[in-house]
Amino acid sequence: MLEKTLYKQMFAHSFNIPVTVNYWDGTSDTYGEGPVQAEITFKKAVSVREIAKNASLALGEAYMRGDIEITGPSDRPIQTVLTAAYESAESFMRNSKFMRVIPKQSHSEKASKHDVQKHYDVGNDFYKLWLDPTMTYSCAYFEHDDDTLEQAQINKVHHILKKLNPQPGRTLLDIGCGWGTLMLTAAKEYGLHVVGITLSEEQLKFVQRRIDDEGLGDLAEVHLVDYRELKHEPFDYITSVGMFEHVGQENLGAYFKDVAKLMADDGVALIHGITRQQGGATNAWLTKYIFPGGYIPGLTENMGHIIDAGLQVNDMEALRRHYQKTTEIWDENFHAVHDQVLKLHDEEFIRMWDIYLQACSSSFESGNIDVIQYLLTKGASGKDLPMTRDYMYK
């Protein structure tokens, strides 16, 4: 009875839309006025103590087990509920009594390799099912409302490379090169000599096969190496997309210093990553099940490290709405191949990825997280960059 009362108190201030909660004992309550926009059904009670201890972990695991169902008129009811929770001023996700001190996490080179492989070495066949043909697993860039995801990912690659104002024959390092679309585009279409590095063995094999198949061995190479261990002459250009979210809070400063060390004195870097404008944060459920060791840095936190590394910001661009649309398309693609994914993984794995993708969409939609591109030079260099932004769009 006490647990039920605590649930009622918790949900009474958790959403800014009308939500019906169906409890495990067959009773229901509707919170908010107007047409119900989502229903949350508890098939079993989830310990209020565990929710208070860490809401994202307790409720995320309950959803994975099937103890919670979320339904509604929208195609993405989980996103609807989580966006309403993020946007609610009194949401339990933002209520101080549910917040916890960010835990320290190991990010040695061995730990970083384990973390990356746990996520990205799920298998190329899995990612091929729902990513676009470019195999790009980061925020796309929608220049037009009707851009397909593939076109938007190609747009993103060119948007990044154009910002560098690259000159043929120069060198580029891609830190965390993924499945290689950016680095190979830089080689094929911009005439750059490119080095890609990754800690994923699956990605390494995929990119090396692309280099061999496309005859790019004279312009591109890929290595399984931690950026902290890379031994190479300084590069004219550096790109790093969706990377610094994985290095850990304690290593952010060293990460930007390593970027500076790997840059030529007149070099240019484009660092693209998820950032919280409200300050850095972790999510216990994401850390345990999706991105081990993950940490989303705050905007001012990143800026402090950039300055301490002797780098200078030449341009910044926020792409939050682009990432919301990207994750929404990923979720649609993922649902469309449910039966194929089920041949590779069990239903709990599918529920885990479903809530992950929709939670990402809700976080971007509500402004809980953002994605920002930082165009950096060493000190007050960057003399080769044009005076206006026009060059980025030609």
Side-chain angles (χ1 to χ4, degrees):
M1 185 65 178
L2 175 60
E3 192 161 63
K4 179 84 167 289
T5 300
L6 292 173
Y7 264 79
K8 289 174 175 286
Q9 293 174 353
M10 177 174 67
F11 285 124
H13 302 287
S14 291
F15 308 107
N16 63 355
I17 60 172
V19 173
T20 293
V21 178
N22 303 311
Y23 294 104
W24 53 91
D25 60 1
T27 61
S28 299
D29 285 311
T30 296
Y31 302 91
E33 301 295 330
V36 171
Q37 296 188 36
E39 283 194 40
I40 304 172
T41 300
F42 286 85
K43 297 181 179 180
K44 295 181 180 178
V46 181
S47 167
V48 171
R49 178 178 293 181
E50 291 302 312
I51 295 174
K53 183 179 178 181
N54 198 300
S56 67
L57 185 61
L59 297 175
E61 289 183 334
Y63 182 83
M64 289 168 59
R65 293 191 302 266
D67 294 343
I68 298 175
E69 290 293 345
I70 302 175
T71 57
S74 74
D75 293 333
R76 289 181 289 276
I78 298 171
Q79 181 180 342
T80 299
V81 167
L82 292 180
T83 300
Y86 282 127
E87 291 179 346
S88 174
E90 299 298 323
S91 165
F92 66 87
M93 289 187 177
R94 292 185 179 180
N95 191 311
S96 61
K97 73 177 180 179
F98 290 103
M99 298 298 288
R100 288 293 177 267
V101 176
I102 294 170
K104 295 293 184 182
Q105 300 181 48
S106 170
H107 279 85
S108 64
E109 288 153 28
K110 182 179 180 180
S112 293
K113 184 174 182 178
H114 170 269
D115 292 347
V116 169
Q117 291 182 350
K118 183 175 176 63
H119 186 80
Y120 294 99
D121 286 354
V122 171
N124 292 336
D125 290 342
F126 168 68
Y127 287 102
K128 282 180 183 178
L129 288 174
W130 53 275
L131 292 180
D132 70 284
T134 70
M135 289 290 284
T136 304
Y137 187 35
S138 56
C139 176
Y141 184 67
F142 294 89
E143 293 181 356
H144 307 98
D145 289 343
D146 60 351
D147 281 343
T148 64
L149 179 58
E150 180 180 8
Q151 183 59 57
Q153 293 292 9
I154 293 170
N155 295 345
K156 187 271 297 296
V157 166
H158 288 292
H159 192 52
I160 287 173
L161 292 172
K162 285 179 179 179
K163 284 187 175 185
L164 299 172
N165 195 36
Q167 305 303 309
R170 295 190 178 180
T171 58
L172 180 144
L173 169 66
D174 191 16
I175 302 175
C177 63
W179 285 278
T181 295
L182 187 151
M183 61 173 285
L184 298 184
T185 300
K188 289 186 294 185
E189 300 189 36
Y190 292 81
L192 299 178
H193 293 271
V194 181
V195 174
I197 59 174
T198 179
L199 291 177
S200 165
E201 294 181 355
E202 288 288 306
Q203 290 179 341
L204 176 78
K205 291 184 288 186
F206 189 92
V207 176
Q208 186 59 61
R209 186 162 57 248
R210 289 187 66 182
I211 291 172
D212 295 340
D213 291 345
E214 298 181 39
L216 293 171
D218 57 337
L219 287 176
E221 55 190 87
V222 62
H223 302 283
L224 188 74
V225 63
D226 191 288
Y227 66 95
R228 291 167 286 192
E229 288 296 303
L230 181 63
K231 307 298 182 184
H232 200 283
E233 292 296 314
F235 292 85
D236 298 305
Y237 312 109
I238 293 178
T239 52
S240 183
V241 180
M243 167 62 189
F244 64 59
E245 306 95 309
H246 299 288
V247 306
Q249 184 181 21
E250 72 277 18
N251 285 332
L252 271 171
Y255 165 80
F256 283 105
K257 287 178 181 177
D258 282 328
V259 168
K261 182 178 69 175
L262 291 165
M263 287 173 63
D265 288 341
D266 60 350
V268 184
L270 191 291
I271 310 298
H272 167 124
I274 299 173
T275 305
R276 286 190 87 244
Q277 297 201 25
Q278 304 90 330
T282 60
N283 178 291
W285 183 84
L286 279 172
T287 299
K288 182 174 180 179
Y289 290 100
I290 303 296
F291 289 115
Y295 171 74
I296 304 300
L299 178 58
T300 56
E301 185 179 9
N302 272 346
M303 293 302 293
H305 291 313
I306 288 168
I307 293 167
D308 290 344
L311 298 170
Q312 185 157 331
V313 177
N314 281 258
D315 190 86
M316 286 177 59
E317 183 176 12
L319 299 175
R320 178 180 61 82
R321 293 169 62 197
H322 292 266
Y323 218 160
Q324 177 191 342
K325 186 169 182 176
T326 302
T327 54
E328 287 174 353
I329 295 174
W330 284 344
D331 188 60
E332 291 171 4
N333 292 349
F334 186 76
H335 276 270
V337 296
H338 173 278
D339 291 346
Q340 293 169 266
V341 176
L342 197 54
K343 294 177 182 178
L344 301 173
H345 303 281
D346 62 19
E347 192 66 42
E348 183 171 300
F349 177 92
I350 291 174
R351 292 175 69 86
M352 176 180 75
W353 273 81
D354 189 25
I355 195 172
Y356 156 59
L357 291 171
Q358 291 194 51
C360 287
S361 299
S362 67
S363 286
F364 288 115
E365 182 179 4
S366 64
N368 183 51
I369 55 176
D370 205 333
V371 60
I372 294 178
Q373 292 186 347
Y374 306 81
L375 185 66
L376 308 176
T377 57
K378 190 176 289 187
S381 61
K383 62 182 182 299
D384 292 335
L385 292 177
M387 294 284 280
T388 74
R389 282 179 165 182
D390 290 350
Y391 80 98
M392 299 181 185
Y393 304 102
K394 291 180 180 178

